[in-house]
């Protein structure tokens, strides 16, 4: 049910990729105002991950996921109908708070339901569903946007509500009841886990690098005289490769040492982005995208499973919330840092800087590997 709901939800994810275009063309905002709205949305997502983690542990995974999806549907419509910079910013903040609130609950559900040795396969299948739905949503969203942007908000809202209803009707609560007298967990307990904090920081650096392909790359290609159509064709290689390859290698990667898989994934992403410094045409960009996409597939097979192994059962929501900060934070920082590198040193500085950061993440993961390995043994 989680897999089907994730696929359904991603099939309707059409607002985020086209939000900047919608704000500037349909609502008449300047580029600066549109950037501010998207930054507000990202800031709300940071807080929403933490709130979602707390709620998943306190009121349960099922209730949190259902509430987050219903609220996201309402938030989508509020943003779609808002007019004026203040109303749009307020709607974006509310939407940001609930948009990713479901993620810690969904991650905790998988950890609750699936034995330790099978979790990488489960998380890998969810990753595949997300990318499968995203690929179709991008194509369909671009077509529907020509008929009217409001269609995107309604479809996104309907699929969110459908996901929430599916979970409420078909998925039982998976959180184990606390023993009488057991102290409820706190975020302070998560922050005292040095292994988890280090893993989140490493993931933040990795995410910063990975997200450059979705944020700064089209700007870098424009510097070389390559337009949006060339970028669209090149980046499509990422989705196609994930859809084809992920199901084939997921089970095999799940049986390998998780930390070493993460090291290999991060290092391959780093090399792929480093090679982009040599790219200057559609085919060369596509080739480098395929390289770092292989790294993304490798890392995605275990990255969430490590969090599930580290988290005590009563803190799985909060651990998922802290982990979610790495992705929300990486996505928020990627365009800020990437554009600075591009502006200071051109495309070479951007891609070589990404390679350096990716290798730092890989080395950090390698250093953390023994501690993660010990914790996994205890989890089993």
């Amino acid at each position: 049910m989680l897999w089907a709901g994730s696929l359904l939800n991603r099939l309707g994810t059409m607002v985020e990729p086209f939000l900047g275009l919608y704000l500037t063309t349909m609502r008449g905002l300047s580029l600066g105002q549109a950037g501010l709205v998207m930054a507000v949305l990202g800031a709300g997502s940071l807080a929403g991950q933490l709130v979602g983690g707390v709620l998943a542990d306190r009121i349960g995974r099922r209730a949190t996921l259902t509430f987050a999806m219903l609220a996201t549907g309402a938030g989508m419509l509020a943003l779609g109908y808002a007019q004026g910079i203040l109303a749009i910013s307020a709607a974006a903040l509310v939407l940001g708070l609930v948009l990713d609130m479901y993620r810690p609950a969904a991650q905790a559900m998988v950890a609750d339901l699936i034995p330790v040795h099978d979790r990488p396969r489960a998380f890998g299948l969810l990753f595949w569903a997300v990318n499968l739905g995203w690929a179709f949503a991008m194509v369909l969203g671009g077509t529907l946007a020509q008929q009217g942007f409001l269609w995107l908000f309604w479809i996104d809202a309907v699929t969110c509500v459908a996901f929430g209803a599916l979970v409420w009707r078909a998925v039982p609560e998976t959180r184990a009841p606390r023993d009488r007298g057991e102290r409820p967990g706190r975020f302070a307990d998560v922050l005292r886990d040095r292994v988890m904090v280090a893993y989140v920081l490493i993931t933040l650096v990795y995410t910063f690098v990975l997200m450059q392909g979705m944020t700064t790359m089209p700007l870098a290609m424009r510097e070389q005289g390559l337009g949006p159509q060339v970028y669209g064709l090149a980046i499509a290689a990422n989705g196609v490769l994930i859809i084809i390859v992920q199901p084939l290698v997921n089970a095999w990667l799940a049986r390998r040492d998780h930390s070493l898989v993460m090291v290999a994934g991060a290092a391959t992403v780093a090399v792929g982005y480093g090679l982009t410094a040599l790219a200057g045409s559609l085919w060369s960009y596509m080739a480098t995208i395929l390289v770092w996409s292989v790294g993304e597939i490798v890392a995605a097979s275990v990255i969430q499973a490590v969090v599930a192994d580290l988290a005590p059962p009563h803190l799985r929501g909060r651990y998922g919330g802290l982990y979610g900060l790495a992705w929300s934070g990486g996505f928020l920082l990627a365009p800020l840092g990437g554009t600075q590198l591009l502006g200071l040193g051109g495309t070479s500085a951007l891609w070589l800087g990404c390679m350096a950061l990716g290798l730092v993440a890989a080395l950090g993961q390698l250093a953390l590997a023994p501690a993660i390995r010990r914790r996994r043994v205890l989890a089993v």
Side-chain angles (χ1 to χ4, degrees):
M1 289 300 104
L2 280 175
W3 186 91
S6 297
L7 177 60
L8 175 65
N9 180 242
R10 278 296 168 175
L11 284 170
T13 303
M14 301 178 185
V15 170
E16 291 175 81
F18 299 98
L19 183 57
L21 187 62
Y22 165 76
L23 293 172
T24 53
T25 58
M26 301 302 296
R27 292 304 182 210
L29 301 188
S30 67
L31 288 175
Q33 289 174 323
L36 174 63
V37 171
M38 289 188 284
V40 167
L41 184 75
S45 176
L46 286 171
Q49 295 269 10
L50 297 177
V51 174
V54 172
L55 291 177
D57 287 337
R58 283 188 175 272
I59 68 174
R61 324 322 190 185
R62 175 173 173 254
T64 301
L65 202 158
T66 302
F67 166 76
M69 285 292 98
L70 295 179
T72 299
M76 285 290 175
L77 295 181
L79 181 59
Y81 283 96
Q83 298 188 34
I85 183 63
L86 292 179
I88 291 173
S89 297
L93 177 61
V94 173
L95 178 60
L97 284 170
V98 296
L99 185 63
D100 290 322
M101 191 181 287
Y102 80 97
R103 293 184 187 277
Q107 184 174 327
M109 268 189 170
V110 175
D112 294 339
L113 291 167
I114 307 297
V116 172
H117 66 279
D118 254 352
R119 285 176 190 162
R121 292 176 61 200
F123 284 121
L125 285 170
L126 288 175
F127 172 76
W128 183 65
V130 165
N131 282 277
L132 181 62
W134 177 265
F136 282 99
M138 288 291 287
V139 175
L140 184 59
T143 302
L144 287 174
Q146 296 177 352
Q147 310 301 319
F149 277 95
L150 204 55
W151 280 104
L152 307 186
F153 290 93
W154 272 100
I155 291 174
D156 212 333
V158 168
T159 54
C160 286
V161 171
F163 186 15
L166 180 66
V167 169
W168 187 255
R169 293 281 297 179
V171 179
E173 177 54 57
T174 63
R175 181 190 58 165
R178 284 202 307 266
D179 296 332
R180 184 173 297 178
E182 182 183 1
R183 183 177 66 85
R186 300 173 300 170
F187 253 113
D189 300 325
V190 186
L191 295 176
R192 279 195 287 267
D193 186 341
R194 295 181 180 179
V195 177
M196 178 61 187
V197 171
Y199 185 70
V200 169
L201 292 175
I202 290 168
T203 304
L204 174 63
V205 176
Y206 165 78
T207 306
F208 175 90
V209 175
L210 186 65
M211 288 297 106
Q212 295 303 322
M214 311 299 172
T215 56
T216 317
M217 183 173 284
L219 301 177
M221 293 177 73
R222 188 179 64 184
E223 293 283 316
Q224 297 174 301
L226 303 174
Q229 185 178 16
V230 176
Y231 168 74
L233 290 171
I235 202 65
N238 171 259
V240 171
L241 189 71
I242 290 172
I243 291 169
I244 294 174
V245 173
Q246 175 75 19
L248 302 178
V249 301
N250 191 26
W252 183 81
L253 289 169
R255 295 193 295 269
R256 311 276 81 80
D257 181 275
H258 291 179
S259 289
L260 296 183
V261 171
M262 272 296 299
V263 171
T268 305
V269 168
V271 171
Y273 275 108
L275 290 173
T276 310
L278 305 176
S281 66
L282 168 62
W283 297 109
S284 57
Y285 266 101
M286 191 175 289
T288 62
I289 287 171
L290 288 173
V291 173
W292 61 255
S293 295
V294 169
E296 182 184 7
I297 291 170
V298 171
S301 66
V302 299
I303 193 167
Q304 287 181 284
V306 172
V307 179
D309 292 344
L310 294 176
H314 69 293
L315 287 172
R316 281 173 178 157
R318 288 175 172 85
Y319 270 68
L322 185 63
Y323 165 79
L325 285 184
W327 285 91
S328 295
F331 192 79
L332 188 63
L333 294 174
L336 299 175
T339 51
Q340 288 296 312
L341 287 171
L342 183 62
L344 290 174
T347 56
S348 295
L350 171 63
W351 303 127
L352 294 178
C354 285
M355 182 173 70
L357 288 172
L359 292 176
V360 167
L363 291 173
Q365 185 63 40
L366 185 62
L368 199 61
I372 290 177
R373 206 172 290 125
R374 287 193 296 268
R375 294 281 287 275
R376 177 172 168 77
V377 170
L378 293 176
V380 175

